[in-house]
Structure formats: C-alpha cells, structure tokens
C-alpha cells in the first residue's frame, strides 16, 4: 500500500442535550457561528435531504495562514438513538473558488452522535487532513487549543 503523512484528530465528549439539537448545531447555517469562534464566512448549499455542501473560511492564528474548506456532508444514519454524518473534500470552483493566501487542505471526517444515559449524548468527531508545511511543535498546539476551545463552546451553546 501507499503511505501518507495525513494527520488525524479524534475528539470524544458528552453533552447534556438531545441528538436533534446537537445535529442542528452541526448543519444549520444560523447556528454554526454560535460555536465556531474563528469562522469568518460559512455557506451551506443543500443537494437533497441527506447531502449538502458547506464552505467555511476560518481565521487561524499566526504563524499559520487562514484556512478554508469546501466539504460535502452526507447524513449516513439518523435514528432515535444515533446520528452519523460524514464529510469529505470537494473540488468545485463554482461553489468555492480558492482564495489567494488561504490554505485549503483535502480533508475527510465524521461526526457520530449517540444517546447515552441520563439525557446525555456522546459525540465523536474525527477529522483527517494532509499536514501543512509547518513543524508539528508549532501546529499541534494551535490545532489543539482551537479544537478544545471550539468544542467547549459547542457544548455550552448546545446545552442551552
């Protein structure tokens, strides 16, 4: 097989909310900015009831450059006890032209939302992308801090 330097991050957390509320925070344009702290621009283009395209543009701390993503989201499973979404990189200049000086990395991942005991849900977020051309000792701290801050905010707004 082939090898790649892709980087994967997995985050698992619980929240005191229901599946549909958390799902709404992941796929409704008006709710995205309530928890995505560094977002500059976000646009959803529905394809059908279970597939949509999302363009997002983020402010990233120095020394890294701002990043954007053009992703196709697919609703893989939606039951009373579980919701699973996948996302993958999309190349489509009409929906999201590449901006000068902005980093766009091929990215894939998924969100898994599961009911657990006492009115809580368990959320698993997995994202895999190609690394950027900076040393890990610089990027890892920035990525970790941004992710933890964003997830804390998502939990806070989803629990309201």
């Amino acid at each position: 097989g082939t090898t790649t330097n892709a980087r994967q991050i997995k985050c698992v957390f619980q929240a005191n909310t229901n599946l549909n509320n958390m799902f709404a925070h992941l796929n409704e344009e008006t709710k995205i900015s309530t928890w995505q702290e560094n977002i500059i621009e976000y646009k959803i283009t529905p394809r059908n009831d279970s597939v949509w395209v999302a363009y997002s543009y983020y402010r990233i701390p120095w020394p890294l450059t701002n990043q954007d993503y053009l992703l196709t989201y697919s609703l893989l499973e939606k039951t009373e006890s579980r919701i699973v979404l996948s996302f993958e990189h999309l190349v489509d200049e009409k929906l999201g032209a590449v901006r000068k000086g902005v980093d766009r990395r091929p990215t894939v991942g998924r969100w898994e939302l599961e009911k657990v005991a006492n009115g809580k849900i368990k959320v698993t977020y997995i994202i895999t992308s190609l690394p950027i051309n900076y040393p890990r000792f610089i990027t890892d701290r920035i990525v970790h801090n941004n992710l933890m801050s964003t997830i804390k905010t998502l939990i806070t707004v989803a629990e309201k």
Side-chain angles (χ1 to χ4, degrees):
T2 60
T3 59
T4 180
N5 291 326
R7 301 284 304 281
Q8 184 176 76
I9 297 172
K10 180 178 181 180
C11 182
V12 180
F13 60 94
Q14 289 191 356
N16 290 306
T17 189
N18 64 59
L19 290 175
N20 289 326
N21 185 46
M22 183 62 77
F23 179 63
H25 280 84
L26 301 178
N27 81 328
E28 290 182 16
E29 221 172 273
T30 57
K31 294 186 185 274
I32 298 291
S33 62
T34 66
W35 63 276
Q36 298 248 350
E37 299 163 335
N38 295 318
I39 202 154
I40 298 169
E41 187 179 327
Y42 192 82
K43 175 80 176 120
I44 289 178
T45 306
R47 292 283 168 102
N48 59 47
D49 289 344
S50 61
V51 178
W52 62 95
V53 173
Y55 172 78
S56 53
Y57 178 41
Y58 296 90
R59 180 176 29 261
I60 304 295
W62 182 89
L64 306 181
T65 59
N66 288 349
Q67 292 182 344
D68 72 355
Y69 297 92
L70 185 62
L71 302 171
T72 299
Y73 280 80
S74 299
L75 180 59
L76 303 178
E77 180 181 342
K78 189 171 185 187
T79 67
E80 291 292 314
S81 60
R82 187 170 152 86
I83 298 174
V84 179
L85 288 174
S86 70
F87 55 88
E88 63 183 339
H89 180 71
L90 174 67
V91 177
D92 186 328
E93 286 292 319
K94 290 181 191 138
L95 287 174
V98 177
R99 297 172 189 246
K100 186 177 182 194
V102 173
D103 208 13
R104 183 178 297 172
R105 301 258 155 222
T107 302
V108 298
R110 65 193 289 128
W111 289 92
E112 298 175 11
L113 316 178
E114 301 171 84
K115 268 188 187 178
V116 292
N118 304 325
K120 290 187 177 196
I121 63 165
K122 174 183 162 189
V123 179
T124 304
Y125 172 66
I126 301 168
I127 183 169
T128 304
S129 62
L130 292 175
I132 55 179
N133 297 321
Y134 287 92
R136 285 182 65 170
F137 76 89
I138 293 173
T139 60
D140 284 0
R141 186 172 343 119
I142 293 170
V143 169
H144 178 267
N145 290 347
N146 275 349
L147 179 63
M148 297 316 305
S149 175
T150 300
I151 294 299
K152 283 181 189 170
T153 305
L154 173 57
I155 293 167
T156 300
V157 298
E159 289 183 342
K160 284 184 181 176

